[in-house]
Structure formats: structure tokens, C-alpha cells
Amino acid sequence: MTSKMRSLYLEGYDHTIFDLTMQDRVQIQVHGNSVAGAILHGNSPTEIIETFTESIGRPPELPHWIISGAVVGMQGGTGTVRNTWDILKTYDVPISSFWLQDWVGQRETLVGSQLWWNWEVDTTRYKGWQQLVKDLNNQHIKVMSYCNPCLAPTDEKPNRRRNMFEEAKKLDILVKDKDGEPYMVPNTAFDVGMLDLTHPETAPWFKNILQEMVDDGVRGWMADFGEGLPVDATLYSGEDPIAAHNRYPELWAQINREFVDEWKSSCSGKQKEDPEEALVFFMRAGFRDSPKWAMLFWEGDQMVSWQANDGIKSAVVGLLSSGISGYALNHSDIGGYCAVNLPLIKYHRSEELLFRWMEFSAFTTVFRTHEGNKPSCNSQFYSNHKTLSHFARLAKVYKAWKFYRIQLVKEASEKGLPVCRHLFLHYPEDEYVQTLTYQQFLVGSEILVAPVLDKGKREAKDDSLTCGGQVKAKGEVLKEFFKARSKTLDVAYGEVHPRQARDTNGPGVVSNVVIEDDIDCTSGPKRRRGASSSKLPRQGIEFTDVIESRSGVTVVSEGVKPTEGKIEVGFVDLPFVGNVDNCRRFLSVGSLSLLRNMISLVRLTLANTLWFQVKSFDAASDYNIVMLPSLSAFIGNPRCPVLVVVSKVHLSDRRSSSCAPVMHRICIALKTIAGSEMMLLSADSITKDINLV
């Protein structure tokens, strides 16, 4: 794709070299007898991507469970997982799943601890596997596992039930060498056989392996590799192994996707209807048509470093370039993967690198950790209180914009547009935007993220924001935006794209800005962050800011007409999203206890997301002025199940209100699952009688 809105893609699987180094041309060299492809033209980059993905295919919508919280990637066995789970509970980390790649067991090699590539659970390492999966699922946490299209001989594995390498060898479904023997592909400290995905017996055999895994309750897996077919291999289909090398990852994705679809169609009852029971797999290898088959991608194995060519910066570059190529749903291992621990060369994941990677990953499709190839050399999310606190905080940031992420995942399925976008997609005529690589990116069209990706830095290196086709200094943009109360904006954690930074490609209207001081979990001075607000038009729902407060992420929603009266300290005259603990700042102990009792009465847990409307008035009659518009906005908000309205009423004359007793009047509106009916509970902190309205 060029800045002149011209685009070309090639069909077929021949070895091809694209030379983009010349200023006046793009040279393409195809090692084949013919060339086939298509030339695309559109009015904008997004239009070209839509046309391109209409041809190659688009991913399905992801199950909501995998984009609802952190995917905790870890290893260690049943006891370690349960202990880590308990620790994460104390930090109130929103968890969508545990990804346990060592479910097959580990062995010690010259390289270190490595997995047994024999795709069955190791019942010694994961004793009580099915019970662990069940216990996690009962708390709405899924278990994800790992597999790839290679098999290792397991003659030395003591507790195996099946020797899948020998099974595949007897079925003659392994890739062969020039002598007709199984091609043993070197993989670090051991050799493996690769499944011949062109053989008609391979797919049914491997789908049975996936079925056994899912029967145990697993609901997702990493479908690793697929990029390593030897170019001198012999295949059942007889096709050129060089061209087959490019087709192999598509076939690998197709087998996994067919199993997902077949499993879903074979389900019945609740399992078929419940979206939380849906399966998902993610891959790193791909070719042109992979988005048609794969459900989700990740970017493979970056170094645990700050490098631009293979480190944290390259993870951003890969995220954005893949999005232009139709890979709409992508993410990276938080912290990177490849560590090096040689006498003269050492790459260890530092705590700072881990934090920076967490921060930018909180604004990608999936928020997933990985211990890396050498866990003991790396800082981990569970290393200490500081890392756990930062992990919890960024997991909450990630969770806070789930409502928008759902819209973007749907858009990816329908139009092929990526969740994370290079600014070029919406500002193609901005010459400065064309120079950007990893400095800034958009989440959808609404959120601009400028991550901190340099060692020792406390704010984004780039000091400008795109502004309506122009580039202005960060301070200038915000002075225009904030006018009399302008402030410098630290964009380390991302913010909603301001109106001045939009043109016709970036819909939305700004209505309000909120800035609060927060407490940083890292060392150093406090920073001031803010977020501009905008409407998200795709479903006609009005939302504004995503800001960070002392108690976590606060989402402020517009649509409620402000009324007169003093606003509680620390809050604006708009609703906010949080949990009961957020109320400690504006409710007395007695009133907070009353609120807890009311919530308990309607059988909600204290972790439920509640939508609060906080007001302070001198007159009791003004309570209704608050309640009616709040209910109106609440009914139209599909993501909030509970509305809590709290008003502060002085019981004596207004002239002496400073010393008068105060009553908190509380009303809870609870939606039914269908959202068509509501239950209203009302009480005040004086009588403490809870009434059904």
C-alpha cells in the first residue's frame, strides 16, 4: 500500500522477494513460471484494507472471555498455579484465563527446561488437572494450553500414556526427507518430526488430539510454529516444498479452525448457546490467507530488550504492519521471550522493561504474559509486590475499555480493520505520520497511545501529537484543547484521541476532560495524566473519558444533564464506573455499610462493576432531579448492570448546614439479564430501612 492509495497483492505461494529500497519503484521478483495477483485502489487506507480482506478473508469475532481480563501465562504445575491464583486474588487482578504451556510436562536439556512435545497432559506435573480446570472455570476463568504441528520421540518420558511420534510414524503422516524417512527437524537440543498437513489422514488424527484436550475443559490454546517446513522436504501431495513452506501455516491454521467450528456445531444445550464456552486459538505463523482461518495472532519471540529491530519497539512495529496486511487481531508476549545468558552476552528482562511492555500491551487486543525461555533470568509479574501491583493496575486499564474492544473486534470480523492501527490509516496525507514507526498508534479511531519504549525514560520520547493534518507540539495541542486550564499531558498510558487531532476519518465529538493526580507504582515523582473524551458512534452509546484515579481506572460517561449543587470532592458531576471500595472517599462508615447490605440483598458480589452517580444537595427534593436523568442514561447503557445514586442531604436549615447532621440517601437500580426490567431499592443512612420502589 502506498501513500497515493495504490495497493497490490500477489496470489499463489511461490518464493517472492519485494524490494522496497528504491525511491521511484517497488521491485518484485517471483521465483515461478507465472505471476497472479490484484491491484487495488481506494479513497483511504481503511477502504483498501476492507477490499483486501474481503478477498483473503477475515477472522471471526473472538469470544468475550479472552478479551475480558489478563491471560496469565505461567508454568510450574498444579500447586504453583493455585498459589499464584490466590496471590492474584489479593491484588484484585481481572483474569480471563490461565495459559499453561507446560501442561505436557518439562524435561531438562542442554538448553534448559523444555516442553515434551507430546500433546497430552502430564499428570505428574499437573496432578488433578481436570479438577484444577473445573475450579477455575467455576470462577469464570478459562484454562488455555499449548500445541504445535511437531512431535518429539518420548521413549524416555516416564509417565506418558501415548507416544504420538510413533503413532504418526506408523500412520505415515510425517514429513519425509529425500530418502523417504521421517524428516527429523533440529529444534535446539532435540529433533522432532513434523506432521505432513497435505496428507488426508493428518487432520482427523490431530483433531482427535484437540478433542481430548477440550474434553478436559480446556477452552483455548497456542497453536505454535508452522513456519519451519524444510524447503528440501518431501510431501504427500508431491508439491514444491518451497511453495509448500508458505502454504504450511495456512494449512495449520485451517486444521485448528475447522476443529473449533466442528466442535461448536456438535455442542448442544447450554454449551452450544453459552458464548463463554467458545473456543479460541492463537498463532504466530501465517501467509496471505491466514486471517481467514486463524482466530488470533501473536508476534512470536522478541528479545527481552529495548531494541528497535528485535525488542519492545519491534513489537509495536509488527503490531501495526501486520494490521495493514489483514492481521486485524494481534498482540505480543508481555516482556518479550528470548533471554540470553552467556558469559559475554546477557539479555535479561528487567523490571523496567516488563513494566513498559505491560503498559503498551494494555492497549492491544489481548493482554497476555509469558515467562520467556529463561524464566529465572527474567523479571516476572509475580516477582514482588511492585510487579504484582503494576500488573494489577494495567490489567484493570485493559479491562476498562472492554466495551470499545468488543466493538473493534466486531469491526475486525466485518471489515478486516485492525484493533491497533498506524496513524496513517486515518491520517494518510500527514507527512509526519508517514515517518512514524513505533512512537504512536491508534486503538480503533478513538484512542491515541504514545508508549514509553526507551530505557530510563518517564514519558513518551515523541513530543508532538497529530493535529488535524498538522503536527503541533504536545503542549500547543493541549493548550487549544484545555484553553484556560491547559496542562502538559503525559501519554505513557494512552488517551482518547482529542477532537483537534481528528479529521473526517476520525469521527467523534469531544465534550469533557478530566485530569486527576494518581499514585504511581513505580519509583519517581507523581505524574499527571488525563484523557479527552469522545463519543463512540458505532452503537450509538455515549461514553467519555478513560482516566486513572487512586483506586484504579475510572470511566466517566456523558449523557446525564448536570444539575445544580455542590460536587463531592474528587468527583465530577457525571457518573463513574467502579466498585464498592471506590465509595470510601465520599461515604461515611455507616452509609458504606448500608450500601453493602443493599448490594448483598440483591445478591451482587462486591467485585461487581457498578455505575455510580454521586451528588451533594442541600434539599431533599433535589434527589429526584438527580435520579430521573440518571435512570434514563443507565437504561441506555448496555455494559453497566447496576446503578447506584447517592445524594447528600442536610437535615436542618440550609443556613446552618455546615454543622447540621448529614443523611446519605441511596438508591440502587438493578437490571435484569435481558435489560428490559429493573428493580429499585431505596434507603437512607438515618433509618437504614431498605425499601423496594
Side-chain angles (χ1 to χ4, degrees), residues 229-387:
L229 179 69
V231 294
D232 59 345
T234 301
L235 299 172
Y236 175 86
S237 63
E239 62 190 279
D240 176 14
I242 296 177
H245 174 90
N246 291 332
R247 196 164 76 95
Y248 193 93
E250 292 183 359
L251 295 174
W252 174 227
Q254 183 177 351
I255 288 175
N256 284 270
R257 176 65 180 282
E258 286 177 351
F259 171 76
V260 169
D261 294 343
E262 291 165 5
W263 180 84
K264 190 65 176 179
S265 64
S266 67
C267 293
S268 60
K270 180 182 178 182
Q271 196 175 55
K272 185 178 182 66
E273 300 300 327
D274 188 357
E276 294 302 306
E277 287 298 311
L279 304 179
V280 66
F281 66 94
F282 58 104
M283 302 182 62
R284 68 170 167 186
F287 199 65
R288 181 192 56 252
D289 293 347
S290 289
K292 174 183 178 180
W293 299 110
M295 301 182 71
L296 173 67
F297 290 92
W298 101 100
E299 298 181 73
D301 302 338
Q302 284 81 44
M303 294 289 293
V304 292
S305 73
W306 302 93
Q307 298 173 12
N309 61 320
D310 189 8
I312 187 171
K313 297 180 181 71
S314 71
V316 179
V317 174
L319 186 69
L320 305 183
S321 62
S322 64
I324 294 174
S325 299
Y327 289 62
L329 306 174
N330 204 350
H331 71 292
S332 66
D333 298 328
I334 292 177
Y337 175 81
C338 290
V340 178
N341 193 35
L342 298 176
L344 299 179
I345 304 175
K346 294 185 184 295
Y347 284 92
H348 296 172
R349 182 197 292 164
S350 67
E351 187 175 272
E352 182 187 6
L353 179 68
L354 177 64
F355 283 6
R356 299 293 88 83
W357 217 306
M358 285 181 184
E359 289 159 8
F360 104 77
S361 294
F363 294 93
T364 62
T365 306
V366 172
F367 186 71
R368 179 182 58 84
T369 66
H370 198 313
E371 292 182 326
N373 64 325
K374 296 183 180 296
S376 62
C377 295
N378 294 330
S379 179
Q380 306 290 353
F381 73 87
Y382 52 74
S383 293
N384 52 53
H385 169 70
K386 191 175 179 181
T387 57

